[in-house]
Amino acid sequence: MYLSSVTIQERRIETDAKCIDKIIDSSDSSTLDRQALIDAIKKAKKTASTGKEELEKLHVPESTKKIHELYKQIFALNIQQIDIAGQILSSADSAKNAEMLKQLADIKKQIETLSQEILDEKRALSASYQEVQLPEASPAAAQPNTHQSN
């Protein structure tokens, strides 16, 4: 139940991120719909904050304590990332924006590292508990398919 609840919050954040990417990708730098982007960032921040709150309310089984701590870190980083993106969008100071872009790159690396650690923990859980059925975390998914079907 824990992993299902966290995955729901994770997917909501991913959906908001895709929405932001779609707004950015659908325009070039001169026609960026700033208001749509601001609205999408506000929604993403609310989603991430809600997800973090929900994460704090969950019953955490002993077997998921480590993954829970990783999720807490990644949700906090997501909120920080969204805050910085909003600041960049509202700032006209290019020197300050350049520094914030560096911060965003650092946060992205941290999120990627934590995401890999979470995936590793999910794989370990799926190997230890048959009821953990996560396609992205299954031990078999980590190994290349060496059998060919005819």
Side-chain angles (χ1 to χ4, degrees):
M1 291 297 288
Y2 171 81
L3 288 176
S4 296
S5 297
V6 174
T7 300
I8 290 168
Q9 301 306 320
E10 208 174 11
R11 297 297 182 250
R12 289 177 179 160
I13 289 171
E14 288 173 3
T15 300
D16 286 348
K18 287 177 185 174
C19 179
I20 291 170
D21 287 343
K22 185 177 179 182
I23 292 168
I24 292 169
D25 292 343
S26 68
S27 60
D28 58 40
S29 60
S30 63
T31 63
L32 180 66
D33 186 347
R34 291 180 64 83
Q35 189 57 50
L37 190 55
I38 289 168
D39 292 344
I41 288 173
K42 285 180 184 177
K43 182 180 182 303
K45 183 174 181 180
K46 183 176 183 196
T47 300
S49 294
T50 301
K52 186 176 179 192
E53 290 170 11
E54 291 299 317
L55 186 67
E56 295 296 330
K57 294 177 189 176
L58 293 174
H59 167 72
V60 183
E62 191 63 37
S63 61
T64 61
K65 295 251 186 234
K66 183 173 180 184
I67 202 168
H68 181 71
E69 291 305 315
L70 293 169
Y71 271 119
K72 284 172 44 177
Q73 291 174 41
I74 208 165
F75 275 72
L77 285 169
N78 279 319
I79 292 169
Q80 188 178 358
Q81 184 179 39
I82 293 165
D83 282 341
I84 292 171
Q87 291 172 25
I88 290 171
L89 193 58
S90 64
S91 175
D93 184 348
S94 60
K96 183 178 177 184
N97 286 349
E99 181 59 38
M100 287 190 284
L101 286 170
K102 289 179 187 175
Q103 290 176 337
L104 280 178
D106 182 51
I107 290 170
K108 183 178 179 181
K109 287 179 188 174
Q110 291 176 52
I111 289 172
E112 288 171 0
T113 299
L114 289 171
S115 294
Q116 184 58 50
E117 289 180 44
I118 288 170
L119 182 57
D120 293 344
E121 286 297 314
K122 286 180 178 180
R123 284 187 179 124
L125 284 173
S126 69
S128 300
Y129 300 97
Q130 287 183 335
E131 62 272 16
V132 177
Q133 298 294 319
L134 301 170
E136 71 271 18
S138 69
Q143 300 170 1
N145 187 0
T146 57
H147 301 289
Q148 303 248 340
S149 60
N150 291 329

